[in-house]
Amino acid sequence: MKHLIERDCESIIDNSNLICLFGTSIGDTDKIWWKTIGTWVKKPYTQLIIFSKGEKEIPALKRYKIIREEDYIRSYFLSKTKLNEDEKVRISDKIIIGYDTNIFDFQLDEKETNLSEIQG
């Protein structure tokens, strides 16, 4: 059963053009997936986005520190793949880092809030 799930997941990855990773530590326990995604991102027309919650707050005026953190996250992910150094350099620009974004910080306006109270 486990092998079927892994095979299904590999098929989904292989047939994707865009993969977004959110809320992952990119740890060794999931190394098989980092290798799979690393191989996948070498394909044409693929893009990887890694959303990362910053561990430390960086003021907007210190953009260079954010760029350093993004570079670190990108390099850390690539270190978990089976790719050689040349491959890592070639695909590095296909990996976008969303560092400390507010992607899921939805703000409901008053009308939406009142509507949900009426319906609920």
Side-chain angles (χ1 to χ4, degrees):
M1 181 72 152
K2 184 176 180 181
H3 295 298
L4 292 175
I5 293 170
E6 288 176 0
R7 198 171 339 141
D8 287 347
C9 291
E10 288 170 351
S11 176
I12 290 169
I13 290 169
D14 194 48
N15 291 301
S16 299
N17 294 92
L18 173 68
I19 293 177
C20 298
L21 300 177
F22 183 84
T24 178
S25 65
I26 310 176
D28 287 337
T29 55
D30 292 321
K31 198 168 188 171
I32 185 173
W33 299 115
W34 313 142
K35 290 176 183 177
T36 301
I37 293 170
T39 300
W40 165 85
V41 80
K42 292 189 318 182
K43 294 172 33 177
Y45 310 110
T46 57
Q47 195 81 43
L48 173 63
I49 302 174
I50 302 173
F51 291 100
S52 178
K53 175 75 174 123
E55 297 300 318
K56 50 190 173 249
E57 191 168 322
I58 299 176
L61 295 175
K62 307 249 180 178
R63 177 74 183 140
Y64 70 94
K65 289 186 177 184
I66 294 172
I67 292 169
R68 268 195 223 146
E69 286 296 317
E70 291 171 349
D71 289 344
Y72 171 79
I73 294 164
R74 185 179 294 104
S75 295
Y76 186 69
F77 171 78
L78 288 169
S79 75
K80 301 294 182 178
T81 67
K82 282 180 152 177
L83 304 176
N84 63 42
E85 290 307 311
D86 183 52
E87 291 171 321
K88 290 176 184 179
V89 169
R90 282 199 326 261
I91 68 163
S92 183
D93 63 340
K94 295 175 70 176
I95 301 172
I96 298 168
I97 307 300
Y99 183 79
D100 222 1
T101 67
N102 292 323
I103 189 168
F104 295 114
D105 187 17
F106 299 108
Q107 300 295 321
L108 297 177
D109 66 19
E110 192 174 321
K111 288 180 186 177
E112 291 171 326
T113 305
N114 289 338
L115 180 61
S116 66
E117 289 173 2
I118 293 169
Q119 291 176 344

